Amino acid sequence: MPDRIRTLKLSLAYLPLAVPISDAKVLTGRQRPLTQVALLFAEITTEAGFEGIGFSYSKRAGGPGLFAHAREIGGDVIGEDPSDIGKLDTLLVWAGASVGRSGLATQAIAAIDVALWDLKAKRASLPLAKLLGSHRDAVPCYNTSGGFLNAPIEEVLDNAAEAVERGIGGIKIKVGQPDQLADLARVEAVRSSLPESVALMVDANQQWDRGTALRMGRQLEPFGLVWIEEPLDAYDAAGHAMLSARLDTPIASGEMLTSVAEHRALISQNSVSFLQPDAPRVGGITPFLRILALADEAGLKVAPHFAMELHLHLAAAYPGEVWVEHFDWLEPLFNERLEIADGRMLVPDRPGIGVSLSDQARAWTVETATFGG
């Protein structure tokens, strides 16, 4: 007999950050500093007693919208077979298709989709990576959370040294300041402080135009960067393709895209060497796997954005070269911690994604909705 979904619980929580965070979008006046992250959690139980947990997120704005959209359509999964993840993805996408099949709508669906995959892996008593068909038990990792522009360079250097001491294999810092000489000085200071074996990446957060990006890319060549991330607007596939063709340093992008179709545009125009999809942003694991298939066919390297607790499993299941992003921001939400050694993040052997919500996550919850019973 097939199992059936008995209950779905949705929760909206706000994770406060210790200090306001700024990247180039703040310094150029496009956004205000980041002070909190909104989390949408989905918890599913079945008639046979299995449980799954998933999450999505939004920064600066959008949390209430994610919760509202998920609450409006989430009840449609009650009574359905949780194994039919593809069917349920289609059901939820089309339930809200009038507001689009990307953006906030897919990000709301993502929490439910991830919970279904977590449940499926738990029912098989396998880590999610093993269920998907892993290619490795550990993934090279780099730290981002220590390299934001609100931190003075001395703090960035201390953060980088601490990350390397913990066993992290790469450091990414933010660039894209109005003063491009300050960017170059920042990169030089970090590169000179790191052992040669430690990788270095930079992220401009979409703040350059094509001419500036080309000039900066050429000036950054001597530093041997693993990649330059989001040098241009995220939707400028042609511009990224131009940079990829004219620079030796690889180009990375994709984190801001919210659909398979948007990633297909980057891939088809040879815009990037590193594709950076984000499962919560594209609608969950189901569409993320479609993106991985496209990336693999194109021979691209993959470095999923943020949410290491989830993306570690997905990166481990990719056959090509991968990196996973170390961001410690979400750690207070979960009872478990990921292990790092020799520059790599180890895939946990716990079933499913391998996380459970902490008491702190429950305390930060501001709204819930439950379906079924």
Side-chain angles (χ1 to χ4, degrees), residues 231-305:
L232 304 172
D233 185 278
Y235 296 99
D236 186 3
H240 281 97
M242 177 273 293
L243 294 176
S244 291
R246 298 180 67 176
L247 295 174
D248 291 334
T249 305
I251 300 299
S253 191
E255 69 176 66
M256 297 303 299
L257 306 183
T258 60
S259 70
V260 176
E262 291 165 358
H263 283 83
R264 187 182 292 113
L266 279 185
I267 295 169
S268 65
Q269 295 190 48
N270 298 314
S271 300
V272 297
S273 296
F274 284 90
L275 194 66
Q276 299 181 299
D278 183 318
R281 283 182 172 165
V282 301
I285 294 169
T286 301
F288 190 96
L289 294 177
R290 299 185 194 123
I291 293 169
L292 288 191
L294 294 173
D296 184 33
E297 184 178 359
L300 297 181
K301 302 169 186 177
V302 169
H305 168 254

Side-chain angles (χ1 to χ4, degrees), residues 26-290:
V26 175
L27 299 190
T28 55
R30 291 187 174 183
Q31 289 184 334
R32 63 181 182 272
L34 177 64
T35 59
Q36 62 183 9
V37 179
L39 279 299
L40 172 65
F41 294 106
E43 297 170 84
I44 293 175
T45 64
T46 74
E47 293 175 355
F50 292 100
E51 299 179 354
I53 182 170
F55 65 91
S56 187
Y57 73 93
S58 183
K59 298 175 181 177
R60 292 183 177 86
L66 292 181
F67 181 78
H69 188 75
R71 181 178 56 192
E72 190 168 9
I73 66 174
D76 288 0
V77 304
I78 299 301
E80 295 286 343
D81 186 336
S83 294
D84 296 339
I85 300 177
K87 170 188 172 182
L88 295 179
D89 174 66
T90 300
L91 176 72
L92 294 173
V93 167
W94 284 99
S98 289
V99 293
R101 287 182 282 162
S102 64
L104 184 148
T106 52
Q107 293 175 58
I109 293 168
I112 301 172
D113 184 84
V114 171
L116 289 168
W117 280 100
D118 181 56
L119 188 155
K120 189 170 188 175
K122 286 175 178 173
R123 186 167 49 202
S125 299
L126 291 172
L128 177 62
K130 296 291 186 182
L131 179 76
L132 296 174
S134 61
H135 289 266
R136 53 190 68 82
D137 294 324
V139 179
C141 63
Y142 68 96
N143 175 264
T144 294
S145 49
F148 278 83
L149 292 173
N150 56 282
I153 186 59
E154 294 78 14
E155 182 178 338
V156 172
L157 295 177
D158 289 343
N159 291 340
E162 181 181 350
V164 172
E165 181 66 24
R166 289 185 58 186
I168 291 172
I171 300 296
K172 187 175 80 178
I173 66 169
K174 300 292 185 173
V175 293
Q177 301 175 84
D179 183 353
Q180 291 155 26
L181 291 178
D183 275 343
L184 294 171
R186 201 171 178 90
V187 175
E188 183 174 14
V190 174
R191 179 68 274 176
S192 64
S193 76
L194 295 174
E196 290 186 7
S197 60
V198 175
L200 180 62
M201 305 83 161
V202 302
D203 183 356
N205 287 110
Q206 308 178 76
Q207 294 310 289
W208 293 330
D209 58 32
R210 292 184 182 185
T212 301
L214 184 58
R215 288 192 298 273
M216 287 296 291
R218 287 172 172 162
Q219 292 181 83
L220 289 167
E221 296 280 20
F223 297 108
L225 303 175
V226 177
W227 69 65
I228 300 172
E229 184 170 331
E230 286 194 327
L232 304 172
D233 185 278
Y235 296 99
D236 186 3
H240 281 97
M242 177 273 293
L243 294 176
S244 291
R246 298 180 67 176
L247 295 174
D248 291 334
T249 305
I251 300 299
S253 191
E255 69 176 66
M256 297 303 299
L257 306 183
T258 60
S259 70
V260 176
E262 291 165 358
H263 283 83
R264 187 182 292 113
L266 279 185
I267 295 169
S268 65
Q269 295 190 48
N270 298 314
S271 300
V272 297
S273 296
F274 284 90
L275 194 66
Q276 299 181 299
D278 183 318
R281 283 182 172 165
V282 301
I285 294 169
T286 301
F288 190 96
L289 294 177
R290 299 185 194 123

Side-chain angles (χ1 to χ4, degrees), residues 300-340:
L300 297 181
K301 302 169 186 177
V302 169
H305 168 254
F306 199 56
M308 63 186 184
E309 293 82 1
L310 170 60
H311 286 135
L312 172 59
H313 291 273
L314 302 180
Y318 185 65
E321 182 177 333
V322 287
W323 284 86
V324 69
E325 186 170 27
H326 177 265
F327 248 106
D328 54 13
W329 290 1
L330 302 187
E331 287 184 342
L333 299 169
F334 306 113
N335 293 313
E336 299 78 12
R337 295 290 179 270
L338 296 173
E339 296 182 40
I340 296 169

